[in-house]
Every structure is written in structure tokens, then in C-alpha cells.
Amino acid sequence: MSGLLPSEGNVDTGGEGTPRVHWLDDDETEQLIGSLSSSTARDILSSLHDSPATAKELAEVVGTSIQNVRHHLGNLQDAELARVAGTRYSEKGREMKIYAPTDGPLVVCVGGNEDNREDFTDAISSFLE
């Protein structure tokens, strides 16, 4: 059966995307920081930046259960830090999702007044592009 289904799937590794700039007091930033509050989630995201992987592979690398990895992957996806980049098939013929980090750098800023935020965001974006 090993030859019937491709074990190596196509993975959209993407390229460098547009930089994301968040301000600490934004609602979206709260979800982002919440998703990274666990060291396991940070380890998963760091591992994805090294190489796209399945939940099973991430569980082995990080040293936790697949269920725990899936929980953190869900949070990372909700915060737009991770995404499904493709699929591959296990030896048993099960379809497995391959996860990768979202494209582009991420910057979280503290302080500054409302009037200067857009200019600051533009400056950071042009520097990181």
C-alpha cells in the first residue's frame, strides 16, 4: 500500500509576506499574545519556522501529545501565526495536514500616540520588506 498514496505532499512554503504591525492595546494583539503565552506554543511556532510539519511530527519534536499540539495549533491559526500549508498521507493512508508559519514578519509595538501609529507602521513595514 505504500506506493498507492503520496507520502510526501505538496507544501506551500510561501514567501516573505507583508509585515504585520500590532499595537499592544489592540484587540487582535490580545489573541496573538494569548496564543503565545504557553512555552509549548512558542516551541511549536519555532519548530514550524525551521520546517513545515504535521501535528504528529511536532508532538515528537516538542515532546508533548498530539492532542496538545492540535490545541496549540488551533490557537496559533486563530491568531494567524500558523496555517495549513498542504497535506500528505500516512503509511496507513490517512490524510495529515502539514502546518507552516504564516508569511511575513510580526512586530508588536508598545506606546506611541494614535496620530503617529500609521506613520510608524509604514516605516516599520518599509524597513522589513
Side-chain angles (χ1 to χ4, degrees):
M1 181 162 161
S2 63
L4 296 178
L5 298 171
S7 61
E8 294 299 318
N10 292 331
V11 179
D12 173 18
T13 57
E16 284 297 313
T18 303
R20 292 173 43 198
V21 179
H22 292 276
W23 295 91
L24 193 58
D25 56 357
D26 289 344
D27 291 337
E28 192 174 308
T29 306
E30 183 176 341
Q31 183 178 28
L32 185 141
I33 290 174
S35 72
L36 294 173
S37 64
S38 163
S39 62
T40 302
R42 293 189 302 271
D43 290 346
I44 290 168
L45 186 58
S46 292
S47 181
L48 290 176
H49 276 279
D50 292 339
S51 175
T54 65
K56 181 180 178 184
E57 292 165 342
L58 289 166
E60 292 170 5
V61 169
V62 175
T64 190
S65 69
I66 294 174
Q67 293 81 6
N68 194 25
V69 167
R70 286 189 178 132
H71 165 76
H72 288 293
L73 282 170
N75 291 340
L76 292 169
Q77 285 180 286
D78 290 345
E80 297 181 9
L81 294 172
R83 63 188 173 84
V84 175
T87 58
R88 82 169 63 123
Y89 291 90
S90 71
E91 292 177 3
K92 296 180 181 180
R94 293 188 182 127
E95 186 176 80
M96 301 180 299
K97 294 177 183 174
I98 302 170
Y99 297 90
T102 55
D103 295 336
L106 172 70
V107 177
V108 176
C109 302
V110 180
N113 63 38
E114 292 288 330
D115 298 334
N116 296 337
R117 286 186 177 188
E118 188 173 332
D119 292 338
F120 188 75
T121 300
D122 291 343
I124 288 175
S125 294
S126 66
F127 177 74
L128 293 174
E129 289 179 343

